[in-house]
Amino acid sequence: MTTTNAPATNPMVQYLTSLRTQEAGTNPSYVFENRASFLEQLRADAPWFPTDEQLHVVTKLDGLIPELAREESWPSVVVLTGDAGDGKTQFCAKLADSLGHVGPLMPVTPVNHWVIIKDASEIPEADLVEILQGASHDSGRRILVAINEGRLRRLARGALSKRQDLVERVIRPSLETWLSEADAAGLEEAMRAHRWLVLNFRHRFHVRAATPALLDAWTRAELWEDGAACGSCSARETCPILANVTDLRAEKPRAMLCDALASVHFSGQRLPLRRLQAVVALACTGGLSCEKLAENELGAMERLRYRYYDVLFAREAVAQPIRVEPELLCRSLAPLDPGRMARRDVDREIALAAIGESEATSQALPPLERAALEEVRATGRSGDEEATSVSGKLALLTRHLRRLLAFSRADDSADWQRALRLLEGFARDGDDTALLEGLTQGLNGLHRQGGNKERITSRQLDPGGFREPARLALELDLGLRFEARLERGPVLPEEAVAPWMESCPADLYLVVAAEGDPQSSARLHLDARLVAALLGSREGFVQLGALGSYRRDLARFFGRLVTLAASREPGPRVILRRGGERRALDVVDHDETPRLVMEVDA
């Protein structure tokens, strides 16, 4: 294949860059209405560019389209609600296409027996309500409406409030963040009775399915090194973009990326498809474009700044030599950054490679990393003592290679990965044994009782937060035994909703109840970072800074345990430890408000 002197421009890079939400000056083709004309222009310049079908990521929602197209399908009104970028408009367009509609969607588009409202915010509220009230299964007229959650709530409070049974049994439960199995069964029955199907995209969990599918569509060799653009590019041997795309075809980097995004999801971060696309596109391109690479000569170490494993964890913009703004989601990924987690075995391996005593490690590295490693070695041989000498470059290289090795080995050894396995195992399969034991041991560890993983200890060094070491002479004996269990939600209606959305109960709770009285309980909301911190707790609050952001949650949780204990006999006791002595102090109750009163002889 012939090679030209000038670097080529790959339209796939332009496409991926356009999916970025933080890319200044780019066409916002992540917005559905802007996408068609942008893609037409790319295909006009490069007829080999993938078709819409080749770029489309198949999800469970695609199975709902032929179901709704059937005349005998049960819903008269289908409501899609959620955040911007969830894919509501695209679903409307695909249903319209399946029904034979040609051309762009209007705010209200009649197609056969359906009326499709692609965005309810584009039409007056009175008109919207009139259309919804005109739906009738008997007449065959059906409605599909995409509406943001705020406007749907306003309709429930206002124009639709006269239909109280519909609002109370269908709309409001569909918008709840928590649904038990009983709630889901009641919602299913009510949906079928009213013939309203409400799909709340906030309940979607498509990280595990969508991320590999996006990479499959975007990283095919014929679009890159085997294609017309990269195949003839003079810069492809040192191109960070092509290196990223090539690496992200492998299973282990994909698994690590999916784990990191899943951990963010289980930490309470919403991942609409638009935001997920943006961060995966950033991983592929490193935030670069072919034009910027042609204008700038990057050194070996500089190229590593734009590798997928580096840009994913960027808190701030990469300023030099080519400015790249991180996606907002990268700030949520930053606490998981393996580059800032020292590991003796990994760091020793990197150091030995840097001084030339581990050629096996050097040869196993990708070409761009080998070039950076050789740059560090060359600096060491030169005897340069300036600020950018071997020690500074070795520190930078170590952080880069920690990230690379974490992605290429995917050994699940980090606390956050262990926490994710336990949370996801319980959320998906109800497997609660290991998670419950880990949480119990961790919470007991905060009170230096970490060996106990059977039940929450009644002997607590600090029930309310963090204490200075000098104050750890006080111990609280609650005098009450506790039983712990886990709860998960939301549970989706089994037949009406669950078949059409990838989902996973992500609101998880530890519930600790007084023994023999399950109704008297304290609840602790769990997320991936709290669980990771608890799994690492060994020496109490004062030794575990990672729990700082959860101080109030833990204080309320342990405070609730004190309240439960104060209502029982014999009630809690405060114990003062001094030297080898332990002295119990009184606990009294004034005005039905339990307080701890400590009386110590002078």
Side-chain angles (χ1 to χ4, degrees):
M1 187 175 293
T2 59
T3 302
T4 62
N5 292 326
T9 297
N10 191 331
M12 275 302 298
V13 178
Q14 295 176 277
Y15 171 70
L16 295 175
T17 301
S18 75
L19 296 177
R20 295 279 317 282
T21 66
Q22 303 300 308
E23 178 70 12
T26 188
N27 175 64
S29 72
Y30 58 80
V31 178
F32 182 81
E33 287 81 358
N34 296 340
R35 191 176 303 162
S37 59
F38 176 72
L39 294 178
E40 286 174 6
Q41 183 59 52
L42 289 182
R43 293 188 182 107
D45 297 336
W48 54 265
F49 189 82
T51 64
D52 288 345
E53 288 302 315
Q54 290 173 322
L55 293 173
H56 176 65
V57 172
V58 177
T59 66
K60 285 187 176 182
L61 272 173
D62 290 281
L64 180 58
I65 291 172
E67 179 67 21
L68 294 181
R70 294 190 308 112
E71 292 187 6
E72 59 270 25
S73 62
W74 64 269
S76 294
V77 176
V78 179
V79 178
L80 311 177
T81 188
D83 291 332
D86 268 323
K88 301 184 295 295
T89 306
Q90 185 176 30
F91 181 88
C92 292
K94 289 185 74 64
L95 177 62
D97 289 345
S98 73
L99 296 172
H101 177 73
V102 178
L105 292 179
M106 303 301 292
V108 179
T109 306
V111 188
N112 295 344
H113 54 286
W114 281 90
V115 175
I116 298 175
I117 304 173
K118 70 180 181 68
D119 187 348
S121 62
E122 295 179 341
I123 62 176
E125 188 170 297
D127 295 345
L128 174 61
V129 173
E130 182 179 352
I131 294 172
L132 290 174
Q133 291 176 341
S136 169
H137 200 75
D138 294 335
S139 67
R141 189 184 187 197
R142 304 181 192 180
I143 311 295
L144 170 66
V145 56
I147 184 171
N148 66 55
E149 189 174 316
R151 188 158 200 197
L152 183 56
R153 290 184 184 275
R154 288 197 300 273
L155 285 176
R157 292 193 302 266
L160 289 176
S161 59
K162 294 180 180 179
R163 300 186 62 178
Q164 186 175 3
D165 191 67
L166 172 68
V167 169
E168 295 298 328
R169 296 183 60 209
V170 176
I171 297 178
R172 286 182 179 163
S174 297
L175 298 177
E176 291 291 340
T177 58
W178 175 273
L179 286 174
S180 67
E181 290 186 7
D183 296 332
L187 178 56
E188 172 114 39
E189 180 182 353
M191 282 185 175
R192 291 188 178 275
H194 287 277
R195 295 189 180 276
W196 272 56
L197 172 61
V198 181
L199 298 176
N200 187 350
F201 285 16
R202 281 182 171 272
H203 296 156
R204 294 177 80 189
F205 175 62
H206 46 209
V207 167
R208 297 290 187 193
T211 303
L214 288 170
L215 290 171
D216 284 341
W218 294 349
T219 65
R220 301 196 311 273
E222 60 266 26
L223 303 177
W224 300 93
E225 67 269 28
D226 292 346
C230 294
S232 61
C233 181
S234 61
R236 66 177 186 169
E237 297 300 327
T238 58
C239 177
I241 302 174
L242 187 56
N244 290 341
V245 169
T246 303
D247 285 1
L248 288 171
R249 293 171 189 157
E251 180 180 351
K252 288 183 178 179
R254 290 186 178 196
M256 176 69 169
L257 178 57
C258 285
D259 281 354
L261 293 171
S263 180
V264 166
H265 174 85
F266 278 96
S267 296
Q269 179 68 259
R270 277 278 293 131
L271 290 175
L273 187 58
R274 179 180 300 172
R275 194 177 302 172
L276 183 64
Q277 281 183 319
V279 76
V280 177
L282 173 65
C284 289
T285 66
L288 299 175
S289 66
C290 299
E291 293 80 6
K292 290 177 182 177
L293 280 174
E295 295 167 2
N296 294 269
E297 186 71 27
L298 299 182
M301 288 292 292
E302 289 173 335
R303 293 187 194 103
L304 302 192
R305 297 182 185 179
Y306 306 98
R307 293 286 270 133
Y308 69 97
Y309 54 74
D310 223 64
V311 293
L312 284 171
F313 300 110
R315 290 179 171 87
E316 306 295 337
V318 178
Q320 296 294 334
I322 301 173
R323 185 174 182 85
V324 172
E325 293 289 343
E327 288 296 321
L328 296 179
L329 186 60
C330 293
R331 296 189 179 186
S332 298
L333 291 169
L336 311 179
D337 183 5
R340 301 187 180 275
M341 300 177 188
R343 284 184 51 177
R344 179 175 297 180
D345 57 338
V346 172
D347 292 354
R348 183 175 184 273
E349 181 181 355
I350 295 170
L352 290 175
I355 62 176
E357 294 188 11
S358 178
E359 286 302 321
T361 299
S362 174
Q363 293 304 312
L365 295 176
L368 298 191
E369 284 69 20
R370 284 204 304 273
L373 179 62
E374 182 54 42
E375 184 176 300
V376 172
R377 289 175 176 177
T379 304
R381 290 192 295 268
S382 70
D384 184 7
E385 296 297 333
E386 296 180 2
T388 57
S389 64
V390 65
S391 60
K393 287 189 174 182
L394 179 58
L396 288 173
L397 181 65
T398 298
R399 285 199 290 271
H400 289 306
L401 294 187
R402 283 174 182 169
R403 296 173 183 129
L404 172 66
L405 294 176
F407 271 88
S408 60
R409 294 175 178 176
D411 58 5
D412 292 354
S413 60
D415 281 344
W416 70 264
Q417 290 172 300
R418 292 170 49 224
L420 176 64
R421 293 286 174 263
L422 295 177
L423 283 170
E424 204 166 357
F426 169 61
R428 289 189 179 281
D429 307 322
D431 181 8
D432 63 350
T433 303
L435 177 59
L436 191 56
E437 288 182 353
L439 292 171
T440 302
Q441 189 172 18
L443 289 169
N444 289 339
L446 299 181
H447 303 293
R448 311 200 181 217
Q449 304 286 331
N452 182 0
K453 60 182 181 180
E454 300 300 326
R455 61 181 66 248
I456 301 295
T457 180
S458 65
R459 308 294 289 270
Q460 299 184 5
L461 296 182
D462 180 10
F466 296 83
R467 290 187 185 272
E468 298 296 328
R471 299 171 64 185
L472 294 178
L474 295 178
E475 180 179 309
L476 184 64
D477 181 4
L478 298 181
L480 186 64
R481 295 169 66 89
F482 296 101
E483 297 175 340
R485 67 180 187 275
L486 295 171
E487 293 182 354
R488 57 180 176 165
V491 178
L492 302 185
E494 185 176 358
E495 296 181 4
V497 177
W500 316 122
M501 290 200 305
E502 292 85 358
S503 64
C504 183
D507 285 332
L508 310 177
Y509 291 89
L510 174 70
V511 182
V512 176
E515 190 173 52
D517 185 7
Q519 300 305 314
S520 300
S521 62
R523 292 165 63 87
L524 180 64
H525 187 258
L526 303 175
D527 68 37
R529 291 175 190 165
L530 172 59
V531 173
L534 289 175
L535 292 177
S537 67
R538 296 293 182 270
E539 299 297 333
F541 282 107
V542 295
Q543 300 295 328
L544 198 61
L547 282 168
S549 58
Y550 298 98
R551 178 177 179 175
R552 288 188 176 88
D553 300 283
L554 291 166
R556 284 192 289 267
F557 174 73
F558 285 115
R560 175 61 178 160
L561 296 186
V562 174
T563 302
L564 294 177
S567 65
R568 301 295 189 90
E569 295 294 339
R573 297 184 306 160
V574 175
I575 298 172
L576 176 65
R577 298 192 310 275
R578 185 172 57 185
E581 299 179 357
R582 297 162 64 87
R583 180 173 181 178
L585 308 175
D586 293 332
V587 179
V588 298
D589 188 345
H590 292 296
D591 301 325
E592 299 182 354
T593 302
R595 293 190 301 160
L596 306 180
V597 178
M598 296 166 284
E599 298 177 357
V600 181
D601 293 339

